[in-house]
Amino acid sequence: MFKHLKKRHLLQLFFFVLIGIIAVNHTLAESGGGITWLSSASLHAICPFGGVVTLYQLVTLGTFVQKIHISSVILMGLVFLLAVLFGPVFCGWVCPLGSIQEWFGKIGKKIFKKRYNQFIPKRVDRVLRWLRYVILARVLYMTAMSGYLVFAEIDPYHALYNFWSSETAILSIIVLLVVLVMSLFVERPWCKYACPYGAVLSITNKISIFKLKRTESNCINCKKCDDVCPMNIEVSGKDVITDLSCIRCMQCTSENSCPVSDTVTIEPVQFQGGRK
Amino acid sequence: MMKRIREQTILIAILVIILGGIGVTMATGIWSTESTKVPVKFETGDFEGEYNPEDIRGSYTLAEIASIFEIPESILKTAFGIDESVSADSFKSKDLETLYPEEVEIGNDAMKAFVSLYKGIPYELTGLILPDAAVDIILSQSYDFDEPLRSAIERTRYSIFEAQASADGDTPDGENNTLTGTIDNETTEFVNDASDAVENETAHETTEDEPVINGNTTFMQALDAGLSISDIEAVIGGEIPSTAMTIKDFCVNSGLSFSTVKTTLTAKIEALK
């Protein structure tokens, strides 16, 4: 049944289903039911971004932001460890919100073929890519000032797994719907333009131990790597891909799309500053 | 030269680091997806070293309260008129609110007051209501409460019987019944009449949007509700250490009565309307 799926797709599916089961079990446990041997943690408790937004309060007051627990901080640490090793693989391999955008994107690809993911002019796209850093700064500041989980008000990830709950803000459901509809035109719009956690992890594209590398001497310049990149990165123009938007989905590698073996690979590369 | 890695390696690394990391922190007791259910202890005074009932959260179950404060579950159930068949492991302190009519505020604050007084720890009772069984149990303890406190405890008394009948629907004709609950310091009539249901519902909806100070309210939220910094600082008797801090945490850390602070701040918010 899953033979046609790649390892990354299987892992995405695994985490998507796992988080879904935990979310449902949490709702059941709240009303006295649920599966006792399965985690009934709240979504906030298993979201690594919760660890990021609570850091300031944890350091200054020694307490967590409302609804956040030590589990979020632990997950933040584990995901950061992964990111230091391999870059933002959490975004490309684990995050359920990224996965569902990707699945909606498959429908978009069927509808728009080659035009898919090419609707936004490059100049506009370049500016919009900074938006997630603005959102990150705003969320961190607001949370630090209020001690309140302000991001939950717009968080589409929370809405995805809690849309049935009265706890979920209407605005977050609207954001989720907008993101899913946009995914029919643009690949991973939330990840590209709005995700504050992606903004945090993006920095590891510069510092991760293993990086995506293109061996120019092998390259036949077919630009297949550019075509398949969900984040519209021009892989064919770089030796080492340290673009902040990369989610390390490995679509561009010789293991997946590149037709020449050992040309686009992931391997240890030293920090190269601004080098191409 | 180090080797290139394949997708399979990344997949295994993700599983090992995330699931393994969770497993290790679980095994070492660090992992927790809930607030720790251990109240703070008094750091000074006559009750130094004892758990502070003021820190009981609405999410504590009867079993947890019974265990932490060494009070028999049956006492807690009797005090609050909870049926013996109700599971102490699943009934939370905040669930008390569902047992009484909306107009009667018996909830987590009442639980804190009861536990505190049951343990012989004086408690600020302004604005609180306790079921008469709870009052009887407290007064039957052999603590040497002074007369003003004993009077204050008596004044919280609320007759539970009629309200229980209302909650159980155990009425002669099932509707059109008028129930009266009596509190010593004020008398309130609770009308459980089908014709008033819509009116009561409307009143409830109106109050749902009102700003309320509770255990999770931060200073910033109190400011957002319209209070000024000087308003709040006058109540807490000092500077706000951080707007992100919950008012309750501040009170517990400072040895202030959260109930008193809460009541005063709520009154100030009400006065702003």
Side-chain angles (χ1 to χ4, degrees), chain A residues 120-130 192-193 232:
Chain A
I120 298 180
K122 279 197 172 145
R123 193 179 296 173
V124 177
D125 174 82
R126 210 172 297 136
V127 175
L128 286 178
R129 298 271 176 156
W130 294 102
K192 267 182 194 151
Y193 306 123
N232 305 85

Side-chain angles (χ1 to χ4, degrees), chain A:
Chain A
M1 180 183 172
F2 297 117
K3 270 186 179 171
H4 66 289
L5 292 175
K6 292 174 181 162
K7 293 177 185 75
R8 185 176 73 90
H9 297 147
L10 286 172
L11 201 67
Q12 283 180 301
L13 192 60
F14 169 74
F15 279 106
F16 190 88
V17 172
L18 179 67
I19 306 287
I21 292 171
I22 292 173
V24 171
N25 204 38
H26 175 71
T27 304
L28 294 174
E30 288 261 281
S31 52
I35 305 165
T36 50
W37 53 266
L38 191 70
S39 171
S40 59
S42 72
L43 269 183
H44 299 301
I46 52 171
C47 175
F49 187 55
V52 177
V53 296
T54 204
L55 267 185
Y56 176 80
Q57 189 165 324
L58 192 58
V59 171
T60 55
L61 297 174
T63 56
F64 298 109
V65 167
Q66 287 173 21
K67 300 179 183 177
I68 298 298
H69 308 286
I70 187 70
S71 51
S72 299
V73 180
I74 292 168
L75 284 172
M76 176 196 70
L78 296 173
V79 171
F80 193 68
L81 173 62
L82 268 173
V84 168
L85 284 173
F86 306 111
V89 284
F90 176 83
C91 305
W93 292 63
V94 178
C95 178
L97 186 61
S99 302
I100 196 166
Q101 289 175 82
E102 210 172 298
W103 298 333
F104 269 69
K106 287 187 191 303
I107 302 170
K109 277 178 195 164
K110 284 209 161 55
I111 299 169
F112 298 111
K113 313 277 187 216
K114 288 256 176 192
R115 282 189 300 146
Y116 179 71
N117 206 21
Q118 303 295 334
F119 290 103
I120 298 180
K122 279 197 172 145
R123 193 179 296 173
V124 177
D125 174 82
R126 210 172 297 136
V127 175
L128 286 178
R129 298 271 176 156
W130 294 102
L131 182 61
R132 59 181 180 160
Y133 298 97
V134 176
I135 294 173
L136 172 66
R138 174 104 179 133
V139 167
L140 291 181
Y141 176 77
M142 295 289 286
T143 311
M145 285 297 102
S146 68
Y148 177 68
L149 202 55
V150 287
F151 187 59
E153 300 296 319
I154 59 161
D155 185 2
Y157 165 71
H158 188 257
L160 175 64
Y161 285 114
N162 246 324
F163 60 85
W164 56 82
S165 161
S166 58
E167 243 185 62
T168 305
I170 297 292
L171 185 58
S172 68
I173 295 175
I174 294 170
V175 171
L176 173 66
L177 292 175
V178 169
V179 166
L180 294 181
V181 170
M182 278 182 68
S183 299
L184 297 171
F185 302 90
V186 180
E187 190 138 22
R188 287 180 176 252
W190 177 260
C191 310
K192 267 182 194 151
Y193 306 123
C195 181
Y197 193 43
V200 174
L201 296 178
S202 72
I203 296 155
T204 60
N205 273 306
K206 303 285 185 195
I207 60 165
S208 67
I209 295 168
F210 290 89
K211 292 188 178 74
L212 279 168
K213 190 183 172 205
R214 185 183 68 98
T215 307
E216 197 170 6
S217 56
N218 291 355
C219 182
I220 57 172
N221 214 21
C222 66
K223 297 195 185 294
K224 188 94 185 196
C225 49
D226 300 345
D227 293 343
V228 296
C229 179
M231 307 304 278
N232 305 85
I233 299 167
E234 198 184 323
V235 179
S236 65
K238 296 176 165 68
D239 293 337
V240 179
I241 292 88
T242 55
D243 192 297
L244 289 170
S245 294
C246 181
I247 54 169
R248 300 291 164 96
C249 65
M250 318 286 280
Q251 283 289 94
C252 58
T253 60
S254 298
E255 219 177 326
N256 286 301
S257 303
C258 175
V260 185
S261 62
D262 293 336
T263 301
V264 183
T265 52
I266 184 156
E267 57 185 274
V269 180
Q270 285 183 341
F271 179 69
Q272 306 198 355
R275 196 181 141 186
K276 189 174 116 174

Side-chain angles (χ1 to χ4, degrees), chain A residues 7 11 41 45 57 66 69-71 78 86 93-94 144-148 250 255-256 262 265-268, chain B residues 2 4-8 10-11 13-15 17-18 30-35 216 218 220-221 242-244:
Chain A
K7 293 177 185 75
L11 201 67
Q57 189 165 324
Q66 287 173 21
H69 308 286
I70 187 70
S71 51
L78 296 173
F86 306 111
W93 292 63
V94 178
M145 285 297 102
S146 68
Y148 177 68
M250 318 286 280
E255 219 177 326
N256 286 301
D262 293 336
T265 52
I266 184 156
E267 57 185 274
Chain B
M2 285 179 76
R4 288 164 182 167
I5 57 167
R6 301 180 66 80
E7 275 196 348
Q8 193 168 322
I10 293 180
L11 182 141
I14 291 172
L15 286 174
I17 291 177
I18 293 185
I30 302 169
W31 178 267
S32 171
T33 58
E34 302 181 326
S35 301
N216 289 325
T218 63
M220 179 59 96
Q221 286 171 310
S242 162
T243 51

Side-chain angles (χ1 to χ4, degrees), chain B residues 54-71:
Chain B
E54 181 74 70
D55 200 29
I56 293 174
R57 315 280 163 129
S59 60
Y60 283 24
T61 63
L62 287 187
E64 286 161 345
I65 294 169
S67 165
I68 292 166
F69 291 96
E70 298 174 337
I71 302 172

